[in-house]
Amino acid sequence: GLLVVACLLYPTGYFGPLSSRIRGLFVKHTKTGNPLVDSVAEHQPANPSMYSSYLNLPLDYAVLGGLVSLWNRNNGFYFLVLYGFIAEHFSGKM
């Protein structure tokens, strides 16, 4: 169903290339000509030791809260786990 629709729309040019903002997230650093996008693309990845330095007790409480919430899993728990992984991934990239 969805694959057939995508195959029919692809030759028409419906799916355009990724914008320079999206490429700036995944490509190391390319000059796009937009100063705002270039400044975001120049950010350096976070150093793992900085997490424990800046988030000392809250980091411990987050781990403890995650362990406690394992006993009562619901949609909110899965959302926080997904949000945490996404935030960790992008903070390691930028």
Side-chain angles (χ1 to χ4, degrees):
L2 186 60
L3 183 62
V4 172
V5 172
C7 288
L8 290 174
L9 289 176
Y10 182 74
T12 66
Y14 184 78
F15 303 107
L18 295 177
S19 71
S20 61
R21 292 180 186 192
I22 301 298
R23 276 182 283 158
L25 291 173
F26 300 105
V27 178
K28 273 298 185 191
H29 178 63
T30 56
K31 292 288 184 186
T32 62
N34 183 337
L36 180 61
V37 174
D38 289 343
S39 70
V40 170
E42 291 173 351
H43 288 185
Q44 297 296 317
N47 186 353
S49 66
M50 298 312 285
Y51 291 114
S52 60
S53 176
Y54 284 106
L55 300 171
N56 188 10
L57 283 176
L59 193 59
D60 295 339
Y61 293 147
V63 172
L64 181 61
L67 290 174
V68 168
S69 62
L70 281 173
W71 301 112
N72 185 17
R73 284 179 268 176
N74 55 21
N75 288 340
F77 169 75
Y78 294 120
F79 171 76
L80 286 177
V81 168
L82 181 63
Y83 183 82
F85 280 125
I86 291 171
E88 190 272 333
H89 171 75
F90 282 107
S91 70
K93 291 269 186 197
M94 302 179 117

